[in-house]
Amino acid sequence: MTDGLAGIAVWDPDEVSIRVARSAPAGDVLREVADILMVDLGAPASRGGLRCFCGMGVELPHELLPRLLAAEAG
């Protein structure tokens, strides 16, 4: 997670990572990351979690977890 991004989530091919805007709402982050994985990187659509184009599960930033739990509860 980082500050000062041009968008909610940005694919960085040099770092092989997706940077996520710290202040973005959790639901928007999940949608943006899923779009990057599926549209930009060709990952398969999956239920029960985000998958990399290589098939491995995608780990979200630990900082995002409390916001995801709050969004699910609300």
Side-chain angles (χ1 to χ4, degrees):
M1 297 186 80
T2 189
D3 295 317
L5 283 182
I8 292 173
V10 178
W11 163 242
D12 183 351
D14 294 331
E15 295 293 326
V16 191
S17 64
I18 299 172
R19 294 185 302 156
V20 175
R22 190 179 316 277
S23 60
D28 292 347
V29 168
L30 289 177
R31 279 189 293 282
E32 290 284 327
V33 170
D35 286 349
I36 288 170
L37 290 169
M38 289 187 289
V39 176
D40 297 342
L41 302 176
S46 65
R47 293 180 185 244
L50 299 172
R51 295 263 169 225
C52 174
F53 61 92
C54 67
M56 292 181 62
V58 172
E59 292 184 35
L60 295 172
H62 296 291
E63 297 172 51
L64 191 57
L65 186 58
R67 292 177 27 214
L68 290 172
L69 293 174
E72 286 179 0

